[in-house]
């Protein structure tokens, strides 16, 4: 998708909403709740077809239920939502959703057991939306096998429609922390989830996992444990898991991961330069070499300056080139913040210097998100809060041809960015994933 296509895509998206809502506003209400409170959950868009799905939580009086609405690009209409997807009246949270190439949606989420209605979740459930019948799974399937507290699920999809869901979970000894990493796999050919999985790790305390998958279904899961980044690689050919060499870090958090088709892995996280001075978090990255089975000797700091950095995201193409994005404060209190990026060149085995800020610089920019296609073209999205409105900004990164003198580049400020006004409403960011 080049810059002209990106701008056309954004305009078409608004036009579709205007057609669905003839009053003239480019914002289409897909649910009417009266006095019930809503909480945005997740959204997924298939760039090829234009189909999309939105998921949210809705107050039922004693907790929250999970609802979804599907957008059909051909008809230009959203489905109506009448019945909740989840099983009980107890709390739900942390929904994750993906769309396969046929338009079917796969949704996983946390749910409380019947004995508790809080944000301590004891179950991970999965449901499937069949685009042909326009119906959801009648009985969502439970992916875990115990009643112990668990964390938010992460989900990835390959080109064949196979899915991995990963989460951390308590072993029951202490529900205020998590000791195990679990993974469940959906096999598209059998249409079956693996349930009651064995843990990949059973340490005294594990951090929130990150997961990435290539188009062939090979995957990597990483998490923090005992002052190190640890992980495991999945081989789609024989279905085996192989532990990675551990990488020592200083209080690592917000861990992100990407991988290429040859098994090389890039990890990105928030940490500190000095273990004795943990006042200012920075962005770090390292690369795992598939041929040696080792991480690089030293990790690289991607941000610069004396102010806090946070919210990293990273994506990679099939050749191992990657793009990283994060938010960084411009002052001590964080009253002004900017979005920055750095690109990893697999051929040169190096990161570019931190970019100048991608945003307009007028106020607080936050919640950066990334999507990338197999050729390395990418879109970055973030929120910009101005004096009277909040804008969702999209910027296209187009890989240049060799004749243009380089392996990659950022769209020019004149034609490289476009924005959608949000009429001053503070809403959650939308993630466009382009695989």
């Amino acid at each position: 998708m080049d810059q002209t296509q990106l701008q056309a895509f954004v305009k078409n998206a608004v036009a579709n909403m205007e057609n669905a809502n003839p009053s003239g506003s480019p914002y289409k209400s897909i649910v009417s709740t009266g006095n019930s409170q809503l909480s945005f959950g997740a959204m997924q868009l298939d760039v090829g077809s234009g189909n999309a799905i939105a998921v949210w939580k809705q107050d039922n009086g004693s907790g929250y239920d999970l609802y979804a609405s599907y957008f059909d690009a051909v008809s230009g209409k959203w489905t109506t939502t009448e019945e909740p997807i989840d099983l009980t009246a107890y709390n739900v949270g942390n929904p994750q959703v993906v769309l396969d190439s046929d338009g079917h949606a796969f949704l996983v989420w946390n749910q409380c057991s019947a004995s508790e209605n809080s944000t301590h979740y004891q179950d991970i459930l999965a449901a499937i939306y069949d685009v042909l019948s326009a119906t959801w799974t009648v009985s969502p399937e439970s992916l875990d096998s115990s009643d112990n507290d668990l964390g938010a699920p992460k989900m990835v999809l390959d080109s064949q429609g196979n899915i991995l869901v990963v989460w951390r979970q308590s072993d029951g000894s202490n529900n205020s922390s998590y000791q195990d990493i679990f993974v469940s796999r959906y096999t598209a050919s059998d249409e079956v989830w693996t349930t009651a999985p064995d843990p990949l790790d059973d340490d005294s305390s594990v951090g929130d996992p990150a997961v990435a998958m290539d188009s062939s279904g090979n995957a990597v899961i990483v998490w923090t444990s005992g002052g190190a980044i640890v992980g495991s690689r999945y081989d789609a050919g024989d279905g085996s898991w192989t532990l990675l060499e551990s990488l020592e870090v200083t209080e690592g958090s917000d861990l992100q991961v990407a991988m290429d088709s040859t098994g090389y892995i890039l990890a990105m996280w928030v940490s500190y330069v000095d273990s004795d001075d943990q006042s200012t978090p920075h962005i770090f990255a390292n690369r795992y070499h598939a041929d040696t089975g080792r991480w690089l000797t030293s990790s690289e700091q991607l941000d610069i300056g004396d102010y806090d950095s946070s919210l990293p995201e990273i994506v990679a193409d099939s050749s191992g080139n990657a793009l990283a994005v994060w938010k960084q404060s411009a002052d001590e209190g964080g009253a002004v913040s900017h979005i920055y990026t750095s690109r990893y060149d697999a051929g040169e085995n190096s990161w570019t210097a931190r970019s100048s800020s991608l945003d307009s610089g007028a106020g607080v920019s936050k919640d950066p998100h990334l999507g990338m296609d197999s050729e390395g073209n990418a879109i970055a999205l973030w929120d910009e809060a101005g004096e009277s409105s909040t804008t969702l900004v999209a910027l296209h990164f187009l890989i240049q041809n060799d004749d243009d003198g380089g392996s990659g580049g950022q769209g020019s400020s004149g034609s490289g960015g476009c924005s959608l006004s949000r009429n001053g409403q503070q809403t959650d960011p939308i993630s466009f994933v382009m695989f």
Side-chain angles (χ1 to χ4, degrees):
M1 180 183 287
D2 62 23
Q3 184 56 43
T4 301
Q5 290 173 313
L6 171 64
Q7 292 174 333
F9 172 80
V10 172
K11 291 178 181 177
N12 288 339
V14 174
N16 284 336
M17 289 189 177
E18 288 175 338
N19 292 336
N21 187 16
S23 63
S25 169
Y27 302 95
K28 169 66 175 173
S29 174
I30 57 178
V31 60
S32 178
T33 66
N35 294 324
S36 298
Q37 292 184 351
L38 296 178
S39 176
F40 184 82
M43 184 170 180
Q44 183 64 276
L45 169 74
D46 179 70
V47 172
S49 67
N51 297 325
I53 187 166
V55 183
W56 66 92
K57 298 193 304 180
Q58 186 169 325
D59 190 358
N60 61 26
S62 60
Y64 283 88
D65 283 321
L66 198 63
Y67 289 82
S69 184
Y70 191 93
F71 178 76
D72 183 275
V74 175
S75 66
K77 295 181 179 180
W78 290 88
T79 62
T80 57
T81 55
E82 299 177 358
E83 298 296 330
I85 302 169
D86 55 299
L87 288 173
T88 72
Y90 295 92
N91 255 358
V92 298
N94 305 312
Q96 295 277 297
V97 63
V98 295
L99 289 170
D100 69 12
S101 58
D102 294 323
H104 304 301
F106 297 80
L107 174 65
V108 296
W109 68 92
N110 289 132
Q111 184 132 19
C112 290
S113 68
S115 61
E116 187 173 1
N117 190 18
S118 70
T119 55
H120 290 274
Y121 301 108
Q122 296 84 32
D123 209 348
I124 288 187
L125 298 180
I128 301 173
Y129 179 82
D130 187 292
V131 68
L132 299 178
S133 63
T135 58
W136 284 94
T137 305
V138 175
S139 299
E141 187 163 1
S142 176
L143 303 186
D144 67 297
S145 58
S146 76
D147 292 329
N148 299 328
D149 284 5
L150 42 73
K154 305 291 179 62
M155 180 165 54
V156 287
L157 171 80
D158 71 14
S159 59
Q160 286 79 44
N162 302 306
I163 295 171
L164 283 180
V165 179
V166 60
W167 67 92
R168 58 178 179 165
Q169 188 162 7
S170 169
D171 62 7
S173 62
N174 182 1
N175 275 335
S176 63
S177 64
Y178 303 94
Q179 297 82 30
D180 296 325
I181 298 292
F182 287 93
V183 61
S184 176
R185 186 171 188 267
Y186 176 84
T187 306
S189 58
D190 300 328
E191 299 183 355
V192 173
W193 292 95
T194 58
T195 56
D198 294 326
L200 296 180
D201 184 69
D202 50 357
D203 207 316
S204 57
S205 180
V206 295
D208 204 25
V211 58
M213 179 183 280
D214 68 18
S215 60
S216 300
N218 303 301
V220 60
I221 301 171
V222 294
W223 61 92
T224 54
S225 178
I229 292 174
V230 296
S232 190
R233 292 173 58 190
Y234 176 76
D235 188 316
D238 60 16
S240 64
W241 289 93
T242 304
L243 288 176
L244 302 179
E245 175 194 46
S246 62
L247 174 66
E248 291 188 9
V249 296
T250 302
E251 299 295 329
S253 62
D254 285 339
L255 184 60
Q256 304 291 312
V257 68
M259 70 180 298
D260 66 20
S261 59
T262 63
Y264 281 75
I265 299 164
L266 283 167
M268 183 182 180
W269 65 94
V270 176
S271 189
Y272 303 92
V273 175
D274 187 347
S275 60
D276 295 327
D277 181 10
Q278 299 185 11
S279 58
T280 305
H282 292 284
I283 303 296
F284 293 86
N286 203 316
R287 190 187 193 207
Y288 180 89
H289 284 239
D291 50 357
T292 65
R294 301 182 66 87
W295 295 95
L296 293 178
T297 304
S298 60
S299 301
E300 186 163 355
Q301 182 179 336
L302 301 186
D303 65 336
I304 58 176
D306 299 324
Y307 300 117
D308 294 4
S309 293
S310 61
L311 303 176
E313 283 210 4
I314 186 171
V315 290
D317 65 17
S318 58
S319 299
N321 302 301
L323 187 68
V325 67
W326 65 91
K327 183 191 86 166
Q328 186 166 4
S329 297
D331 55 31
E332 194 68 40
V336 177
S337 58
H338 300 301
I339 304 299
Y340 296 96
T341 187
S342 178
R343 179 172 172 78
Y344 179 80
D345 188 310
E348 298 292 334
N349 193 23
S350 64
W351 288 92
T352 62
R354 188 198 75 173
S355 69
S356 57
S357 61
L358 302 184
D359 53 275
S360 65
V364 177
S365 295
K366 62 178 182 177
D367 296 330
H369 292 270
L370 282 174
M372 179 179 281
D373 65 20
S374 60
E375 296 179 354
N377 303 303
I379 292 178
L381 296 174
W382 65 90
D383 276 351
E384 283 192 28
E387 293 183 359
S388 60
S389 65
T390 297
T391 303
L392 175 66
V393 178
L395 179 63
H396 189 227
F397 293 82
L398 178 63
I399 301 304
Q400 297 173 354
N401 296 324
D402 291 339
D403 293 340
D404 295 331
S407 61
Q410 174 184 323
S412 66
S413 59
S415 62
C418 56
S419 62
L420 287 172
S421 173
R422 289 188 171 187
N423 296 341
Q425 297 180 357
Q426 181 63 48
T427 55
D428 293 88
I430 300 172
S431 177
F432 292 80
V433 180
M434 298 180 57
F435 290 103

